[in-house]
Amino acid sequence: MPDARDTAAGAARSVVGAVRDVVAKVGGGSSPSAVQQTLTVGRSVEEVATLWRDPAAVRRVLGDAGDVTVDGAGDRWTWRLATPGGGDPVEWETVLADGGVPRTLRWSGPDDVGTPGQGAELVVTLREAPQHLGTEQVVRLALPVPDLAAGAMALTLGYRARALLLTGETPELEPVPAAR
Amino acid sequence: MRALCWNGVNDLAVETVPDATIVNPHDVVLEVGLTVTCGSDLHFIDGYLPGMRQGDVFGHEFMGRVVEVGSAVTRTKVGDRVTVPSFVSCGECWYCSHDMPSLCDTSNPNAALQQPVLGHPGGGIYGYTHPFGGYQGSHAQYVRVPFADTNCFVVPDGVTDVQALFVSDALATGYTGAVFCDITPGDTVAVFGAGGVGIMAAASARALGAARTVVVDRFPERLALAEAQGSEVLDYSSVDSVQEALREMTGGRGPDAVIEAVGMEGHGTGLQNVVDRAKQVVRASTDRATPLRESLLACRKGGVVSVLGVYGLTDSFPMGIVTNKGLTIRSAQQYGQVHVPAMFEHIQRGAIDPTPLATHTMSLEDSVEGYRLFKEKEDGCIRAVFRP
């Protein structure tokens, strides 16, 4: 039979661990932490990949969340993403790598410590979805913002990309949102 | 344009707001002909449902005339008299193409607000909190309708504006709930709640073949309307046990299906309802789920419980009843886009008539008073209809 003090200590450790996990999710920090969101998109892997390689389409996917510019060769992308609560935008330069099995598009930032966007990364992994439902699109985002905010951003990017592919538009409210 | 705005808990006002406009190519703008109160609005007016922001234009049940069309709209025309289901369907995603339009995968601009609560975000809805999309609502002179060719239904001759209004939501929701009951001829269907949705659910159940419908409520004028429409009625406040009363009315077997049309602010006479009310007052729970539990108890073994009431996060749900009675639970926000043609046919042949729901009709400028009448159920108000 377990000692009551051991049980209490174990429960306390469990609670402390749970609190630590929650703080990590909502508090964030200065170093990037990665989250991912997986959605099914009723289009082929090639169609989804084509959208993500098209800077104009990606700008529409970003909407109010940010902007992206691309150099002439098309592999150096500079991102500027809004952060929750009106904080300073996250801006970083990336190089796009595309390929592999499953198809993976990876925009990686610089590795140099102290460089803006150091360690930030956007990875879109595409594979055929089960039951011939199209493409399983996994958006993985590493940003120096809290996990919950990065998770919302990853979901928003994936959701809006799917909407654009399926309907030709992204869901928008401006200039007539519900609220003033 | 003029619009009814939510400015806080129990704080509504008619104000001047920016005009509704075309935003996306598949949009149209309607001049709102009629727009109506809904019981689900009371949940955020009373402060039980979060997600509203000061100044929000609300309202989601409406009909009107098309005054402007977007560049990609092909079938909907300026001048069309249309009704619009309250959920926005894109018509293209897997859910929309499998007859589940309120589960649309693309129409919610604020999907990221809803995913943590639901796991998978649903479709957007007009004027019903930001997690449900943040779209401007219909209690206004004009309203934007996305994906117009999927969501605008031209009202046929022989269907009045008022009838078309309720096809937008009260009838669409009730009809969806009745379809969920898998009714076979001779069935008995009980309906908890004699509001607009409950009365339309009972009418739909009969139109779909139910031999008997029994509507349960406590307000005499609502029960009278349900009775006038063809239901048997049961005033739960006048009997010792609504369960025994329903058993007695069904030869001891219980209804073949039960439709719950009340939602998170339910009433009852038992101890559990007292506990629910106390928890809701101190915000320890979002819901008073008494009618939901009563529905599970009332349904015959192996029957269907169709849940139409709007709930938050009910934390005291008697799952053991479901398992041990072999119940099937069906629920969804309305699938109006699927059922509008059938609803129009039922109205045209006189099988369903939502007209009596419109107990009060007034100007949009008087809509604050309209909501007061509706909320307090004064003057026999079942629904207050506004003419912007």
Side-chain angles (χ1 to χ4, degrees), chain B residues 98-170:
Chain B
H98 286 75
D99 289 348
M100 294 178 275
S102 62
L103 306 181
C104 179
D105 250 349
T106 77
S107 66
N108 188 341
N110 293 325
L113 295 178
Q114 205 179 62
Q115 191 208 31
V117 179
L118 299 186
H120 302 266
I125 182 172
Y126 306 92
Y128 201 82
T129 79
H130 288 261
F132 279 95
Y135 287 105
Q136 201 169 49
S138 63
H139 292 337
Q141 291 177 288
Y142 299 94
V143 64
R144 167 197 171 208
V145 177
F147 303 112
D149 287 336
T150 298
N151 295 295
C152 290
F153 291 82
V154 174
V155 181
D157 293 341
V159 175
T160 68
D161 283 1
V162 170
Q163 290 171 325
L165 168 67
F166 291 113
V167 167
S168 166
D169 192 290

Side-chain angles (χ1 to χ4, degrees), chain B residues 73-87:
Chain B
V73 176
T74 58
R75 291 191 299 276
T76 310
K77 303 288 190 296
V78 170
D80 283 351
R81 182 175 71 119
V82 299
T83 189
V84 180
S86 54
F87 269 79

Side-chain angles (χ1 to χ4, degrees), chain A residues 36-40 42-43 60 133 148 151-153 155-156 159-160 162-164 166-180, chain B residues 7 15 19-21 23-26 53-57 90 92-94 104-112 115 130 133-136 144 147:
Chain A
Q36 73 173 43
Q37 294 276 0
T38 304
L39 296 175
T40 306
R43 292 289 185 270
R60 294 185 66 184
L133 291 173
L148 289 179
M153 174 72 80
L155 186 279
T156 299
Y159 189 94
R160 288 172 62 88
R162 175 170 64 188
L164 186 55
L166 297 186
T167 71
E169 10 179 283
T170 50
E172 305 290 351
L173 297 175
E174 299 292 346
V176 281
R180 285 188 290 246
Chain B
N7 285 326
E15 300 179 4
D19 283 354
T21 61
V23 176
N24 273 333
H26 294 98
R53 297 177 190 161
Q54 183 180 9
D56 281 351
V57 177
C90 75
E92 299 289 341
C93 72
W94 189 89
C104 179
D105 250 349
T106 77
S107 66
N108 188 341
N110 293 325
Q115 191 208 31
H130 288 261
Y135 287 105
Q136 201 169 49
R144 167 197 171 208
F147 303 112

Side-chain angles (χ1 to χ4, degrees), chain A residues 27-117:
Chain A
S30 58
S31 60
S33 56
V35 296
Q36 73 173 43
Q37 294 276 0
T38 304
L39 296 175
T40 306
V41 182
R43 292 289 185 270
S44 69
V45 168
E46 188 55 39
E47 288 173 284
V48 182
T50 298
L51 177 137
W52 281 104
R53 290 194 60 97
D54 176 1
V58 173
R59 279 187 208 103
R60 294 185 66 184
V61 168
L62 287 170
D64 294 336
D67 193 16
V68 65
T69 54
V70 183
D71 73 356
D75 60 348
R76 292 188 177 277
W77 297 47
T78 302
W79 300 79
R80 186 180 175 85
L81 298 183
T83 53
D88 292 336
V90 177
E91 182 170 338
W92 84 107
E93 294 184 357
T94 61
V95 174
L96 169 61
D98 178 7
V101 178
R103 179 80 176 266
T104 301
L105 296 96
R106 181 186 303 272
W107 292 265
S108 301
D111 292 330
D112 305 336
V113 175
T115 304

